[in-house]
Amino acid sequence: MPATDATAVPTRPRRFNGRIVARYLLLTLGAVIVLFPVYMAVVNSLLLPSQIAHQPPPFFPNDPQWHTYPDAWKAGHLGIYLRNSAVQTIIIVAGQLITSILAAFAFAFLEFPLKKTLFIVFLMTLMIPFEVTVATNVTTVTSLGWFNTFQGLTVPFLATGFGVFLLRQAFLQIPRDLKEAAQLDGYGHLRFLWSVAIPLARPAIAALGVFSFLGAWNQYLWPLLVTGNDNSVRTVQIGLKQLLNTQLDQINVSLAGTIIAIAPLIILLVVFQKQLVRSLTAGAVK
Amino acid sequence: MRTQAARRRKDWALAYVLLLPGLAIFAVFTFWPFLQNFKLALYQNPPYPGLPSTFVGLSQVGDVLSSTAFHQSLISTLLFVLMVVPTGLLGGLMLALAAHRALKGMAIFQVIFSSTVVSSVAVAAVVFGTLMDPVVGLLPWLGLDPHPAILSNPTWALPAVAIIAIWQFLGLSFIIMTAGLQSLPEEVLEAARLDGARAPTMFFRVTIPLLSPTIFFGLVVGFIYAFQSFGQIDILIGSQNAEFTHTNVLLFYIYRALSVQNDPGLAAVLSIVLFVILLGVTLVQFRFLERRVHYAGN
């Protein structure tokens, strides 16, 4: 980057600073646009309903009503919804990681009849979006007696074609010599998988884990269809819809609930940004 | 010789055992229900619950495909996609270009710009629903007449939910575009700069063409994302108002057919339509993916 060479010409630094300032202004403008809706949600969650309706609208809570958060927690049953979402998400992430690792290992390291065909079968699942299978899946889950259970909520998602594809690519990058050396050392396939392949493919596995987490936590259609009203397995996304419907005159409480529901994902974003980016761009750039 | 053959057969067995869990899930929850659509589409739902559904052949498919509700749904879906995808991609590209410099504090901006990717549809709906509300929202302050409420207004309801989807898609779009910018060959950009290319020329003649695979990937991802959106409509508009407000997008129509109208036959026909559309998009993506993977393997 030539612009960073600030010592070159005496006139250079001033122009350079102007450009930098302009760029920061542009970035700040972008950040304001992106964050504005969430900022307003936080502000409104701390106001009284009468204050929110005030014109012009207040853009800062002068007298923050912190009690809306415990109110939302209680009125919205958020404790139980968050627990349900956590259970559902953990089962799906663990299941997807296990089934993907196993299948990807077979495709990357083993030779067997119909290998190519079976790989295509796995890839074909990427062409069938879950939405076009819901009609029958609701019937299946209900007839298994899984309506309103964690099995019903999670089992249909315990495998992922994308995950198999992603991890197979990662396993294929492991040098063949390593596999042969391990074999000479008397390693069986599973021991090689556990102590060599998985550790080496950790970045890809982490990326898949974060990707699965995001998808599972934010699921909307399926939990709406297969959870009942007794709240025993209902997830926080559906809980938000209910909170909004039951607290019509308490919009501040609904917004407080929303902030609580998104908090785990903000943490996920900040801590695992690299893995998230990696999984979301798999296939875009190598 | 015999031990080798035995070992190979042991490998086969192991491979099938490793593939079994995934295959079983896919068989029961992906392939079978998918194929089942083609059967359900041929059976008409009984007029009263409890009666068996009757085989009507392709007549139900014809009825659905020629119905006004279906045409309206298809138009709403396409309009929604056209509002969301180009705007979301352009916004993401602009943010990515702004953030593509090694400056102090850039990591913070990158987290902010990608942040909407983690927002769920329910969160986005509640947040924007408040801002668009006629009483507690911002419209009066912006000098706009909030009545009739935009979310129950046939002209503005669809653009309003599209804005929510654009905001949500912005994070993903930014991430994709940033990854694309980072993968651009620095030598080529440097050479163009040394040749005296000015900023606009650089952008339109060098950056955009080099970025075209990324833009293409973003288009495919955006299409799939937009076709699968319906939560905002379910939360903010609801089943009764969807058709009146022209927000009955395909996926919402499927959901309503299933859980409100209780009509699996209708849902099946609509699912097949959705599949055919997404298949077209996915096939294009596959060709593309194959090529990239091929390059990566070399």
Side-chain angles (χ1 to χ4, degrees):
Chain A
M1 233 163 288
T4 47
D5 189 9
T7 50
V9 202
T11 52
R12 196 76 173 271
R14 277 184 73 174
R15 219 179 110 221
F16 159 83
N17 279 339
R19 276 193 169 181
I20 298 271
V21 170
R23 189 173 280 266
Y24 274 118
L25 281 177
L26 194 70
L27 286 165
T28 311
L29 179 71
V32 168
I33 293 172
V34 169
L35 289 184
F36 178 74
V38 178
Y39 172 76
M40 285 307 288
V42 174
V43 170
N44 286 340
S45 75
L46 295 172
L47 296 172
L48 295 166
S50 60
Q51 292 173 311
I52 302 177
H54 190 266
Q55 295 297 339
F59 289 101
F60 190 79
N62 285 320
D63 175 24
Q65 308 286 313
W66 295 107
H67 64 84
T68 55
Y69 283 78
D71 286 356
W73 186 271
K74 264 179 273 155
H77 312 286
L78 287 182
I80 189 134
Y81 289 145
L82 285 169
R83 189 211 65 178
N84 292 343
S85 278
V87 172
Q88 171 226 18
T89 303
I90 288 167
I91 296 174
I92 291 179
V93 172
Q96 290 196 348
L97 287 181
I98 293 169
T99 58
S100 301
I101 288 173
L102 296 182
F105 182 80
F107 285 126
F109 290 110
L110 299 175
E111 291 306 324
F112 52 93
L114 295 177
K115 182 170 165 177
K116 239 187 165 149
T117 315
L118 284 169
F119 188 59
I120 291 171
V121 169
F122 272 74
L123 285 188
M124 268 163 63
T125 62
L126 291 175
M127 292 206 220
I128 306 176
F130 185 75
E131 287 79 7
V132 310
T133 62
V134 284
T136 301
N137 276 337
V138 171
T139 321
T140 307
V141 160
T142 312
S143 64
L144 285 169
W146 286 357
F147 183 80
N148 205 28
T149 65
F150 279 115
Q151 296 95 292
L153 208 51
T154 57
V155 172
F157 301 98
L158 294 187
T160 149
F162 169 73
V164 175
F165 182 78
L166 190 76
L167 295 189
R168 174 181 165 270
Q169 287 298 116
F171 285 152
L172 285 177
Q173 317 244 308
I174 297 173
R176 302 290 93 181
D177 315 1
L178 222 53
K179 177 84 174 104
E180 278 153 32
Q183 226 152 14
L184 288 178
D185 279 352
Y187 274 42
H189 289 304
L190 293 180
R191 190 155 159 224
F192 173 76
L193 169 65
W194 183 252
S195 35
V196 182
I198 290 181
L200 285 177
R202 221 164 28 200
I205 294 172
L208 177 62
V210 174
F211 183 79
S212 303
F213 189 104
L214 182 62
W217 185 271
N218 283 344
Q219 265 190 26
Y220 186 78
L221 175 63
W222 187 244
L224 192 62
L225 289 168
V226 298
T227 62
N229 285 324
D230 67 355
N231 294 343
S232 58
V233 302
R234 184 152 275 180
T235 61
V236 73
Q237 307 298 334
I238 314 303
L240 281 183
K241 179 191 179 186
Q242 284 184 324
L243 188 63
L244 191 67
N245 288 342
T246 52
Q247 307 285 319
L248 281 178
D249 46 353
Q250 303 264 322
I251 193 75
N252 52 350
V253 174
S254 298
L255 289 167
T258 307
I259 303 297
I260 295 174
I262 202 178
L265 286 184
I266 298 292
I267 296 167
L268 180 87
L269 174 72
V270 173
V271 178
F272 294 106
Q273 207 209 4
K274 220 173 90 191
Q275 287 81 2
L276 190 66
V277 166
R278 190 191 157 115
S279 67
L280 291 173
T281 53
V285 274
K286 47 176 184 166
Chain B
M1 212 49 202
R2 252 186 77 194
T3 51
Q4 213 175 19
R7 200 163 69 199
R8 198 178 321 142
R9 231 165 300 136
K10 239 178 92 189
D11 276 10
W12 294 0
L14 177 65
Y16 292 133
V17 169
L18 295 179
L19 295 182
L20 189 66
L23 281 176
I25 300 278
F26 286 142
V28 178
F29 294 104
T30 306
F31 292 116
W32 188 69
F34 169 69
L35 295 173
Q36 197 69 4
N37 278 330
F38 294 93
K39 189 190 146 203
L40 287 172
L42 306 178
Y43 286 83
Q44 192 150 41
N45 215 36
Y48 303 104
L51 296 171
S53 45
T54 42
F55 180 81
V56 292
L58 288 172
S59 79
Q60 174 165 248
V61 179
D63 288 350
V64 174
L65 295 187
S66 60
S67 68
T68 333
F70 171 72
H71 292 160
Q72 192 55 253
S73 172
L74 213 52
I75 292 171
S76 298
T77 312
L78 292 178
L79 282 176
F80 181 78
V81 169
L82 286 178
M83 288 182 221
V84 172
V85 180
T87 325
L89 284 180
L90 197 66
L93 176 61
M94 279 159 56
L95 292 177
L97 285 169
H100 187 57
R101 266 291 145 82
L103 291 180
K104 227 178 225 159
M106 199 54 82
I108 297 168
F109 285 109
Q110 281 174 342
V111 170
I112 291 174
F113 294 160
S114 40
S115 67
T116 71
V117 77
V118 301
S119 70
S120 77
V121 69
V123 166
V126 177
V127 168
F128 276 87
T130 315
L131 298 179
M132 293 170 178
D133 187 276
V135 181
V136 301
L138 295 176
L139 294 178
W141 176 68
L142 290 170
L144 299 170
D145 180 14
H147 295 285
I150 50 173
L151 288 168
S152 45
N153 176 326
T155 315
W156 291 108
L158 194 66
V161 287
I163 287 175
I164 306 175
I166 291 168
W167 180 76
Q168 269 199 285
F169 180 49
L170 211 51
L172 181 55
S173 169
F174 168 77
I175 289 175
I176 291 172
M177 293 299 178
T178 300
L181 285 176
Q182 282 167 354
S183 74
L184 293 186
E186 197 52 48
E187 320 89 66
V188 178
L189 298 179
E190 193 56 36
R193 231 176 263 134
L194 287 177
D195 278 352
R198 316 207 96 235
T201 322
M202 271 293 282
F203 182 71
F204 288 107
R205 295 284 177 83
V206 184
T207 311
I208 290 290
L210 283 175
L211 208 58
S212 61
T214 305
I215 296 173
F216 180 71
F217 177 75
L219 267 175
V220 173
V221 171
F223 269 112
I224 293 176
Y225 167 77
F227 270 104
Q228 295 180 343
S229 308
F230 92 104
Q232 308 92 330
I233 299 165
D234 179 50
I235 293 176
L236 295 176
I237 292 171
S239 287
Q240 284 96 28
N241 288 329
E243 286 193 51
F244 164 68
T245 55
H246 304 310
T247 53
N248 190 32
V249 297
L250 212 43
L251 189 54
F252 194 46
Y253 199 9
I254 295 176
Y255 165 72
R256 286 174 59 222
L258 274 181
S259 64
V260 184
Q261 292 164 262
N262 231 328
D263 190 343
L266 172 61
V269 177
L270 296 172
S271 296
I272 293 170
V273 173
L274 182 65
F275 169 73
V276 170
I277 296 173
L278 289 178
L279 179 71
V281 179
T282 320
L283 279 180
V284 174
Q285 181 197 22
F286 258 17
R287 291 193 78 103
F288 175 75
L289 204 70
E290 226 166 42
R291 224 176 60 210
R292 297 301 300 206
V293 171
H294 181 70
Y295 287 148
N298 279 349

